[in-house]
Amino acid sequence: FLVSLPADYPIFKYVGDVGAHDYHVLSLNNTNNDKITINPIVSARTVTHYIELQSLKKFESYMVKTCWSAVSPISIHNMDTMIVPPLQDFMGTTSEHPRFFIAFDITQDSYPTIDMLESLINVSVTNVKLGIPVDLYSTIIYILFTCGFVFALERYLNLVARITTI
Amino acid sequence: MVFIVKLTWFFLLIKALQYSLVYFSPSQFDTSTELLLKQLTNDTDHQLIDTYWNSNFYNKLLSWDSVFFLKAIVHEKSPNDIIKFEHEYAFSNIWSKLIYVIDLYIHGPLSITGKDMDINYVYRVIKVGLVVGNIIFYLSSILLYYLTILTFSNHSTDLKSKKIAEKTAFLFIISSVSGFIISIYSEPLSFMFAFIGLITRELSLNNRDTDKNGNTTELFDLKLYCWPLYVIATSLSFIIAMWNRTNCIFLGIYFLFDVFQLLYSRKFYKMIFFPLLSGILLFTAFIYKEYYVAYYQFCPERGEWCTTSIIDKVPFLTKQSFYNFIQTKYWNIGFLNYWTLNNIPNFLFALPNIIILITATIYFTKKYPTRHITPTIWITRCFLLVLIFFAHVQIINRVFSFIPIHLWFISDKLYRNEYLMFTKKTDVCHEKLEVERDGIKNMNRFTSDSDDKIIKFYLYWLLFWVPLQTIFFASFLPPA
């Protein structure tokens, strides 16, 4: 899920404390990716979860990724962003600055349904550069290196020709 | 013997390269593996999950379907502690039971308790699963060698069938399924039993009749004394393959083919007591697993699927099988459901195998027609239609592993090319050789160069695809 701050979003320094709160925070302060593990109790009824994204830069795009294991039969949908204006109460908290949230719904998605299904979900936010999330760069370089290596092997050892003459 | 040694070294080399690629792969894009291990083991402080070999190697092998198999194995150990959800029934419980039993046989019950027991057990069964999967894959390549000899020896010289069999076995090790058999996947069990069943069926066939002058004619018959081999061994092998992976129900087409062949030659008793009986056994086993067991496990409480009975007195006979129901509900399987713009890359992943399989069926029907491979061609056509129009098409890269028709096509064509090159270079005028050479020349009148181009393209694709698929898997990236 790709997100970016609106053009008119004010620039300010996060000082942090908005008081005790029930939602999670992902912060990109001095980094280009962050990850948290949330442990929601999922019932048969749809529950909406909110995660505040802090220290995002304007004119940058970010990929929000939710990962959960296939052993947890849940479904995440309706992912969207939400801005809470300054001084507006949100889940019992207020802030002088606007707050940027991602919101998503979680429901159980298999039979039998469990009253209180415990699940673990990794939520991560990653800076996207040149249209590619930065956490994929190492994998892409590795793939390109492997392709180059296979190409060189084929060129010097004629692997396909050897396979055909086995 | 030399061949087996060469094949073993080749297998070990490919696996060493693949596991090196896993080890050096930088990270997993999907970060859920750590969550899986935490949920299965309660290792909240990550001490064992994050050890050097676990984080750099074993954890990277827990992507896609292997997650379900791992959970199923752990479920075998403590069925009361872990809930099994209905969509998990899409994954073979035979495979998970096999690994569970082998682990129990090798290691015995665990002597340690608590959290350590969970985490140690999980990594122990991962290792057992990897070894068992690879051993089965290796043994299957040898079985395929024998199956190919049996299949082609009915039509060609021993030398030719041996050469084709050798090529097929080597190609199987680097076939497109190879990128997945680095983890706990159920395909090896299915293709091994499919090959065993096909071998026992081939051994039961009598395809040649020799007259007094030594002339042979092609016919279709079954050897009476091979009844146990055909009805028990073949049926049982196909049933295990089908129970492990439901798509192996297509193997039943062999029985259908045999029924029609015997019907055509008016061998009614053989038809009833060989293929018809075997087909009924396979079909009953299918109904038992996909309808009866599932119905009495979930119904009537489940509702939905349970309410679709066709006959009131036989409530478990529902409109669609349980496998079909969960595939539709959880994986959106259905006619043209996968034909969306965002799935174009998945169609591209599948394209090389679609092309080679279609070419192989044309090759063995139009260019090199043989009644012997006809049922394999029909299975290929039917399964291809299902995969292209109903399923997640990219799974063709692994699920077609129990039908080796494309490998036979490549090996056969390569052998013919080699033979032609050899005969052009030599002036040997042995009578038998001349006859064979004429035969091949006649055959080549129908064989266009496009086959060679397709084979060349496919082999180049495999050369890049197998390492890439291995990296994709280790990085938890599609295709699944």
Side-chain angles (χ1 to χ4, degrees):
Chain A
F1 185 67
L2 285 173
V3 297
S4 53
L5 292 177
D8 57 351
Y9 198 82
I11 299 169
F12 58 89
K13 188 171 171 60
Y14 281 92
V15 284
D17 197 11
V18 291
H21 54 79
D22 286 336
Y23 58 82
H24 293 87
V25 174
L26 275 166
S27 173
L28 289 189
N29 192 22
N30 295 325
T31 181
N32 55 19
N33 64 80
D34 191 23
K35 183 182 82 176
I36 52 164
T37 303
I38 61 173
N39 187 10
I41 304 295
V42 187
S43 62
R45 173 175 78 82
T46 302
V47 182
T48 307
H49 280 258
Y50 299 93
I51 293 175
E52 188 187 355
L53 303 184
Q54 293 183 349
S55 303
L56 302 187
K57 289 175 185 160
K58 279 170 83 169
F59 312 113
E60 295 268 357
S61 54
Y62 300 87
M63 187 187 64
V64 176
K65 187 168 61 177
T66 53
C67 298
W68 67 98
S69 173
V71 297
S72 294
I74 59 166
S75 180
I76 292 182
H77 43 94
N78 296 335
M79 195 173 243
D80 208 349
T81 57
M82 183 182 79
I83 293 172
V84 178
L87 304 174
Q88 184 176 309
D89 181 80
F90 179 74
M91 293 174 85
T93 62
T94 52
S95 170
E96 295 172 16
H97 306 293
R99 286 175 286 174
F100 190 80
F101 283 87
I102 51 163
F104 51 86
D105 295 338
I106 311 176
T107 42
Q108 280 192 45
D109 194 18
S110 191
Y111 180 87
T113 44
I114 310 298
D115 283 344
M116 305 286 265
L117 178 71
E118 272 198 67
S119 57
L120 294 171
I121 303 169
N122 274 341
V123 184
S124 56
V125 59
T126 312
N127 202 345
V128 176
K129 298 277 185 194
L130 302 170
I132 298 166
V134 292
D135 61 349
L136 263 181
Y137 272 65
S138 55
T139 306
I140 290 170
I141 291 167
Y142 185 56
I143 287 170
L144 290 175
F145 174 79
T146 305
C147 285
F149 185 69
V150 173
F151 182 77
L153 273 182
E154 164 56 25
R155 201 173 163 86
Y156 291 106
L157 297 176
N158 290 326
L159 292 176
V160 169
R162 281 168 193 262
I163 291 168
T164 57
T165 52
I166 281 170
Chain B
M1 192 63 197
V2 176
F3 161 71
I4 298 288
V5 173
K6 271 168 70 177
L7 190 78
T8 309
W9 278 113
F10 186 68
F11 181 82
L12 292 174
L13 175 71
I14 297 297
K15 286 293 147 190
L17 287 171
Q18 281 187 287
Y19 284 120
S20 304
L21 287 171
V22 172
Y23 175 78
F24 289 114
S25 70
S27 60
Q28 288 192 310
F29 181 69
D30 185 319
T31 59
S32 65
T33 300
E34 61 180 37
L35 305 180
L36 162 81
L37 292 164
K38 275 190 224 171
Q39 280 175 280
L40 286 183
T41 64
N42 300 319
D43 183 26
T44 46
D45 48 3
H46 294 210
Q47 281 181 346
L48 281 157
I49 292 174
D50 287 342
T51 59
Y52 182 80
W53 278 105
N54 289 348
S55 61
N56 285 297
F57 188 70
Y58 293 110
N59 295 355
K60 291 178 189 170
L61 300 173
L62 301 177
S63 304
W64 302 114
D65 294 5
S66 61
V67 169
F68 292 104
F69 293 118
L70 184 63
K71 186 189 170 186
I73 299 163
V74 177
H75 180 267
E76 292 292 337
K77 181 176 141 289
S78 46
N80 296 326
D81 301 338
I82 299 169
I83 300 155
K84 196 165 180 180
F85 297 95
E86 68 176 1
H87 68 283
E88 292 166 10
Y89 285 80
F91 301 92
S92 167
N93 62 342
I94 293 184
W95 178 232
S96 50
K97 271 193 171 70
L98 179 76
I99 296 173
Y100 170 73
V101 169
I102 291 174
D103 172 73
L104 203 66
Y105 180 76
I106 296 170
H107 295 108
L110 281 170
S111 54
I112 40 181
T113 55
K115 192 180 75 183
D116 284 345
M117 178 188 82
D118 289 341
I119 192 80
N120 278 307
Y121 180 73
V122 165
Y123 281 105
R124 206 175 81 175
V125 292
I126 291 170
K127 288 167 196 170
V128 171
L130 294 181
V131 172
V132 172
N134 278 305
I135 288 174
I136 292 177
F137 188 20
Y138 168 71
L139 291 177
S140 301
S141 66
I142 296 171
L143 287 170
L144 181 58
Y145 169 77
Y146 287 109
L147 172 65
T148 310
I149 287 181
L150 287 171
T151 306
F152 282 83
S153 60
N154 286 307
H155 306 279
S156 48
T157 60
D158 284 350
L159 177 71
K160 183 189 170 185
S161 60
K162 263 188 179 175
K163 278 278 174 197
I164 292 171
E166 284 179 9
K167 286 180 195 298
T168 305
F170 277 104
L171 283 171
F172 183 63
I173 290 170
I174 51 162
S175 62
S176 56
V177 71
S178 183
F180 292 95
I181 316 300
I182 52 169
S183 183
I184 316 169
Y185 263 59
S186 61
E187 270 80 8
L189 198 63
S190 272
F191 58 63
M192 182 176 80
F193 275 100
F195 295 163
I196 291 172
L198 291 174
I199 287 171
T200 51
R201 177 182 168 274
E202 283 293 337
L203 290 171
S204 314
L205 294 179
N206 182 16
N207 280 311
R208 278 181 184 184
D209 190 22
T210 311
D211 64 16
K212 287 174 188 173
N213 300 324
N215 299 321
T216 57
T217 48
E218 199 176 328
L219 53 77
F220 184 90
D221 199 3
L222 288 158
K223 297 168 193 161
L224 209 55
Y225 62 89
C226 287
W227 185 87
L229 203 60
Y230 188 96
V231 176
I232 297 171
T234 307
S235 303
L236 197 63
S237 301
F238 285 2
I239 287 170
I240 294 170
M242 182 269 294
W243 274 352
N244 185 55
R245 286 202 63 87
T246 310
N247 50 263
C248 288
I249 188 66
F250 283 107
L251 290 168
I253 289 176
Y254 282 105
F255 295 139
L256 268 180
F257 175 81
D258 294 353
V259 163
F260 284 114
Q261 289 296 316
L262 291 168
L263 207 59
Y264 183 73
S265 48
R266 296 179 172 275
K267 289 169 181 153
F268 298 116
Y269 286 113
K270 274 190 182 172
M271 184 268 285
I272 292 166
F273 290 105
F274 276 79
L276 191 63
L277 181 60
S278 304
I280 289 169
L281 286 175
L282 182 67
F283 186 67
T284 309
F286 174 75
I287 296 289
Y288 175 75
K289 181 180 178 257
E290 297 301 336
Y291 290 85
Y292 184 84
V293 173
Y295 187 86
Y296 287 108
Q297 176 131 15
F298 292 107
C299 299
E301 297 82 11
R302 169 70 183 87
E304 211 171 342
W305 174 70
C306 303
T307 60
T308 60
S309 301
I310 302 166
I311 309 164
D312 286 344
K313 287 185 178 173
V314 196
F316 62 85
L317 280 182
T318 45
K319 281 179 185 163
Q320 59 178 163
S321 72
F322 183 65
Y323 182 77
N324 206 338
F325 165 70
I326 52 180
Q327 286 279 340
T328 309
K329 187 174 169 66
Y330 297 104
W331 284 277
N332 193 30
I333 297 295
F335 183 61
L336 297 184
N337 285 359
Y338 211 57
W339 286 48
T340 55
L341 282 177
N342 62 326
N343 280 324
I344 288 173
N346 287 319
F347 276 89
L348 292 176
F349 288 139
L351 198 60
N353 267 317
I354 293 174
I355 291 172
I356 200 88
L357 284 162
I358 291 171
T359 315
T361 57
I362 294 167
Y363 182 80
F364 285 119
T365 38
K366 298 265 166 66
K367 297 171 184 172
Y368 180 47
T370 166
R371 193 173 59 176
H372 200 60
I373 302 178
T374 305
T376 318
I377 292 164
W378 277 107
I379 291 173
T380 308
R381 284 171 177 164
C382 294
F383 199 19
L384 259 178
L385 284 177
V386 169
L387 286 173
I388 293 170
F389 293 105
F390 291 87
H392 293 186
V393 69
Q394 77 278 4
I395 64 167
I396 195 172
N397 290 342
R398 60 186 166 88
V399 296
F400 238 102
S401 46
F402 73 103
I403 302 293
I405 192 167
H406 53 315
L407 306 180
W408 284 343
F409 157 60
I410 297 170
S411 307
D412 190 71
K413 188 72 177 68
L414 288 175
Y415 176 79
R416 282 168 198 283
N417 292 349
E418 273 173 31
Y419 190 81
L420 277 178
M421 278 168 67
F422 170 75
T423 49
K424 274 177 190 170
K425 283 179 185 171
T426 56
D427 293 317
V428 182
C429 293
H430 191 275
E431 191 182 341
K432 197 177 173 186
L433 191 61
E434 282 292 331
V435 171
E436 282 231 25
R437 189 167 58 182
D438 287 347
I440 282 176
K441 272 180 186 169
N442 287 334
M443 228 100 66
N444 271 331
R445 281 181 202 163
F446 304 102
T447 308
S448 64
D449 285 335
S450 63
D451 283 347
D452 286 329
K453 281 179 188 164
I454 288 169
I455 288 171
K456 198 175 166 185
F457 160 76
Y458 188 75
L459 291 176
Y460 273 107
W461 176 73
L462 278 182
L463 188 68
F464 284 91
W465 183 249
V466 173
L468 282 182
Q469 176 62 72
T470 307
I471 296 172
F472 289 152
F473 190 87
S475 307
F476 215 145
L477 286 166

